[in-house]
Amino acid sequence: MKTVLMVAEKPSLAASLANILSNGKATSRKGFNGACSVHEWVGTFRDSSAKFKFTSVCGHISGLDFVGKFNSWDKCDPIDLFSCPTEKKDATPKLKMPQFLASEAKGCDYLVLWLDCDKEGENICFEVMDAVSSCIRNVRSTSVTFRAKFSAITEKDIKNAMATLQFPNENESRSVDARQELDLRIGCAFTRFQTKFFQGRYGDLDSSLISFGPCQTPTLGFCVQRHDEIQQFKPESFWYVQVTVDPEQKLEWQRVRIFEKEVAMIFYNMVKEQKEAIVESVTSKDNFKSRPLALNTVELMRSASSGLGIGPHVAMQIAEKLYTQGYISYPRTETTTYPTNFDLRGVLKLFERSNEYGDEAKNVMNDFVQPKKGTDCGDHPPITPMKMANRSDFDGDTWRVYDYIVRHFIGTLSRDLKYKSTTAKFIIDGEIFTSTSNVLIDAGYTKVMTWQAFGKNELSNPYNKGDRVLIKDVKLIESQTGPPSYLTESDLISLMEKHGIGTDASIPVHINNITQRNYVSVEAGRRLKPTTLGIVLVHGYQKIDPELVLPTMRSALEKQLNLIAHGTADFRAVLKHAIEIFRLKFQYFVTNITNMDSLFEVSFSSLADSGKSHSRCGKCRRYMKYIQQKPARLHCSHCDETYSLPVGGIARVYRELKCPLDDFELLAWSSGNKGRSFPFCPYCYNNPPFPDMTRASGCNNCTHPTCQHSLTNLGVSSCIECDKGVLVLDCTSSPKNWKLGCNSCDCIINIFDDALKVTVDEDTCECGSQLVTVAYKQEKTPFADGDDKKTGCIFCFNEFMPLIEKHKAVENRRLNSSRGGRSSRGRGKGRPNRGRPKPPKDKMAQLAAYFV
């Protein structure tokens, strides 16, 4: 019997699809990576009996990254990123996805891919094929690997996809590879250069990353362009004549407004002399407000932002969840017309029994109208509801998005809104005024899309041709023109779509990025107001190279990427051409960065003028400035050096102690009373002194052989919660709060409250952990025998157990120790690793090498 491996994009999707394809007979088990389940059943494949295994990935299996030193901001010039080698790396190492897929693929004869039906999905198809290539023979053959195309999680769609399997589209996958490589090289080069340049000069940027993106930056450019229009706007005064007739009704002046007061006064004087207005004509006509086109992604994002107050990024996350649960069709589509074979009545019939939509669905079914013809982009059908739901099935925002999709769908099958418009034209001494009233005839689609309902059902004008109407009042009103308002998210989405910036999948990501990176703030009405940093960045790009911020370059690049997807352009040629253009632009940008810097000087404070005096520099012995704004830094104005600090907490001077390597004052970093804390040297934190120390390491990772604060002298044991961390004695909060903190994860064990002193001994317990000595004041000793000082293992010494916060964790550690747990890195068989690194063989040689 042949075995078929099937792979979906998400675990929840795999469960739904397996249930449909197996007719509810699949059995499930958990995969070894803990994140993905495997659903198994026996069925028929290609006219033969077969065993099916259905599992999933969790998005992309691999991601593109630079090789070796090119991942370090300090070890390479950003210009090298345009030509340096890249490699595919495991996107989520903890999930061990390639190994998981390979293990499930053993013994399988066929591969069927159920990834999302877009370009990213095609790319993941080939990632899965690469992962199982060593286990499934000829995996790139069209007779071994198959691609399922579907747009909704319904039995009809899924079984039809199973009956019409295809082969993955390699051209579309290559276009995604090209976009990933371009965004990586261009974005990283510009981002690294400008982040290091400006954070080394200004203290109040309030941004940990000054990023550049080929799509992100033009998106920000639209927002700043509108801001500039508002700032440059000069209000103008204008005047208009307002006439009120009997019965109480204001007439509209045909001239609308006049910008010269003297001219306006002439007309005003003419009209105010008259007592009556003569009705010259009364005309009526039927007007229509057209029902909407079928719903696509861009319209869903626009409506969610402007109508529901839900940002596009969150709206798409909700839509994805509704799709995987089978409530709506695939939410990423550009098409606005239903396929000719789409069962519109069948979907409509689903909602006839609904408490929310039942009446509207029945009315539309009885008076069915063919939907308007939209645009077929050849991707997926429009977004439509696939299953009925109740309010109680979702949280508030999820229900509102689902409710909008259902009402929009019913609205596309309803009649247009119809109303009668009546206009009366008045003559007053030669000047023309009008009065218009609207009367609703048929609410049409607005019966279900109530937010677009007819605003006011006005009474028809009570005038006839030739009537003379008494003038009650005539005024000359002065007003001023107003500036445009800031762009809403809905406006920005429309501009991005118009100029070809991003795709329906990436548009919400770019908008979210400029918000998260403090380039714009979301104001009332979801309007996007640029921050000082966002404004200065865009104006700086415009001074150096306007094309960096204009949408034209990215739009042209997107067209070239689409040519790759359609198989009409060579992948390497497009990639080489685009990289070379941006490499030259980057060189020009670096050469002329002073043009942008002059704008930063006006808008931000220099590092020398920022922050407060904090701790002494180890080079010049002068006090450095502590800048707490993101990213936190220390700056020595005398040496003109800047040192990064840990994020998310506060750094304070640690007892005026000094690092034995560089003479910088030690600092104690803390994320709060109950959070992590550790001492560190600001110089070593930025410039690791030993090969086994990574950048951004504190003393709890330092292997200095003699320093009293190093891992070598304060490490106690391997962490009880992670595989690679070491529990290190944290003295920064002593003597009130003694604790052990992992130097890799967030594990914290509070120990020995109110102890006078705690030290780590040289001796080792049988379990592999270092012994600890704790001393109390005689009157405060917690020990039963009255001793004020004891030495023992915190995991094995019974008298220490009541003084340790994590009793259960420690008990588990003791059990593991007795069974020989964590022995893979230990010093002997059956012994757990105490986690403390061995001191260097030649201490003086290592120190001498460092200073040289």
Side-chain angles (χ1 to χ4, degrees), residues 472-512:
K472 294 183 65 176
D473 189 26
V474 179
K475 294 179 181 177
L476 182 65
I477 307 294
E478 181 181 359
S479 187
Q480 282 189 325
T481 55
S485 57
Y486 285 104
L487 291 177
T488 62
E489 286 174 328
S490 178
D491 297 332
L492 182 56
I493 291 168
S494 298
L495 284 170
M496 294 174 73
E497 182 189 31
K498 176 182 176 182
H499 292 278
I501 300 299
T503 63
D504 53 5
S506 64
I507 282 174
V509 176
H510 302 315
I511 296 176
N512 187 60

Side-chain angles (χ1 to χ4, degrees), residues 254-271:
Q254 191 180 49
R255 297 183 189 273
V256 183
R257 59 186 178 181
I258 291 180
F259 288 91
E260 292 82 17
K261 185 176 181 180
E262 293 76 11
V263 177
M265 283 295 295
I266 294 172
F267 291 113
Y268 168 68
N269 290 327
M270 287 169 52
V271 172

Side-chain angles (χ1 to χ4, degrees), residues 59 127 150 166 202 204 228 294 347 350 385 405 441 455 543 570 606 646 651 659 741 759 794 803 827:
E127 292 177 0
F150 58 101
Q166 306 170 23
Y202 302 100
D204 53 350
D228 292 343
V347 176
L350 291 173
I405 292 170
I441 299 174
K543 286 188 72 173
D570 181 66
S606 67
C659 176
T759 56
I794 65 167
L803 309 178
R827 295 186 299 170

Side-chain angles (χ1 to χ4, degrees), residues 88 187 225 241 267 272 279 302-303 309 323 333 397 433 515 551 600 652 676 717 719 739 800 808 811:
K88 291 276 189 177
Q225 181 184 9
V241 178
F267 291 113
K272 78 173 184 177
V279 179
R302 271 199 296 248
S303 299
Y323 162 68
T333 175
D397 283 349
F433 293 81
T515 305
F600 273 79
R652 56 182 174 83
R676 294 180 65 204
S717 76
C719 181
K739 56 188 174 184
F800 281 175
K808 292 183 181 178
E811 280 298 325

Side-chain angles (χ1 to χ4, degrees), residues 314-498:
V314 175
M316 290 311 299
Q317 288 178 329
I318 292 172
E320 285 281 352
K321 184 172 71 172
L322 289 170
Y323 162 68
T324 57
Q325 293 174 345
Y327 287 102
I328 65 171
S329 62
Y330 190 62
R332 301 193 187 280
T333 175
E334 298 177 13
T335 295
T336 57
T337 190
Y338 297 111
T340 52
N341 61 347
F342 193 86
D343 187 8
L344 296 168
R345 292 179 183 272
V347 176
L348 193 60
K349 197 171 183 63
L350 291 173
F351 298 96
E352 286 187 332
R353 292 177 295 170
S354 169
N355 295 328
E356 300 284 345
Y357 321 105
D359 293 340
E360 290 87 349
K362 290 174 185 175
N363 291 336
V364 172
M365 184 70 82
N366 294 331
D367 187 19
F368 190 84
V369 177
Q370 286 298 325
K372 289 171 62 179
K373 190 74 174 176
T375 303
D376 184 0
C377 296
D379 49 357
H380 291 276
I383 304 167
T384 52
M386 292 285 106
K387 187 166 66 173
M388 190 180 77
N390 300 310
R391 284 179 185 267
S392 57
D393 296 335
F394 308 124
D395 59 48
D397 283 349
T398 305
W399 168 256
R400 291 164 66 212
V401 172
Y402 174 79
D403 179 68
Y404 170 78
I405 292 170
V406 174
R407 291 183 181 277
H408 191 283
F409 170 74
I410 298 175
T412 62
L413 308 179
S414 304
R415 293 189 306 274
D416 292 343
L417 179 146
K418 182 179 180 182
Y419 64 97
K420 185 176 184 179
S421 181
T422 302
T423 301
K425 183 187 291 185
F426 298 82
I427 302 293
I428 306 175
D429 196 15
E431 284 302 295
I432 299 174
F433 293 81
T434 60
S435 173
T436 301
S437 63
N438 299 313
V439 178
L440 181 66
I441 299 174
D442 182 2
Y445 76 94
T446 62
K447 290 179 182 177
V448 62
M449 298 179 70
T450 53
W451 58 92
Q452 293 190 21
F454 201 68
K456 186 179 179 182
N457 193 12
E458 301 168 347
L459 294 175
S460 181
N461 280 320
Y463 306 115
N464 296 305
K465 182 178 179 180
D467 286 352
R468 291 179 174 271
V469 182
L470 181 66
I471 297 175
K472 294 183 65 176
D473 189 26
V474 179
K475 294 179 181 177
L476 182 65
I477 307 294
E478 181 181 359
S479 187
Q480 282 189 325
T481 55
S485 57
Y486 285 104
L487 291 177
T488 62
E489 286 174 328
S490 178
D491 297 332
L492 182 56
I493 291 168
S494 298
L495 284 170
M496 294 174 73
E497 182 189 31
K498 176 182 176 182

